[in-house]
Amino acid sequence: LQLWKAASAPSGLDAVVNWICALFSESMPLQHFDNYPDDVFINRDVIKTIHHILQVRTSYGIEFQDMFDLMQRVAEEMGTMNLEDEDLDDVVPLAVVQSLARHFLVGFIRLMTDLGFDAPIDLD
């Protein structure tokens, strides 16, 4: 219920997304690349930890490498990385992790409201 309390508070969604990203970026330092001065990147080992914690393989049948590749393709569509750049083979932009965290939390909040909890924030 602590996650519910934090995420459903005013500005809570942003605060929890920032907290999640800070938590995961503590295990390995964020990476910067000269060709992408406005973006920061997170190492594949951190993505592997996220994959494990969220039990993506068990819950959805998605292997780690498939999830990692998908996150990189999302980054390319967002314009934050070029898949042809070999320097970026083992990283994902932090913006993609933020998007994943936000969508996860929105799903969590919707589930909680379906269960009868009051959501004081607008999710749209």
Side-chain angles (χ1 to χ4, degrees), residues 69-95:
D69 292 344
L70 179 61
M71 292 178 81
Q72 285 193 321
R73 285 194 300 271
V74 167
E76 185 172 51
E77 287 180 16
M78 291 172 62
T80 56
M81 74 180 291
N82 179 349
L83 293 179
E84 301 301 318
D85 189 338
E86 291 181 9
D87 289 340
L88 305 179
D89 282 352
D90 293 325
V91 296
V92 169
L94 184 60

Side-chain angles (χ1 to χ4, degrees), residues 7 12 26 29 37 39 47 54 65 87 96 100 113 119:
E26 284 295 315
D39 298 302
I47 305 304
L54 295 179
Q65 189 61 50
D87 289 340
V96 173
L100 174 66
T113 56

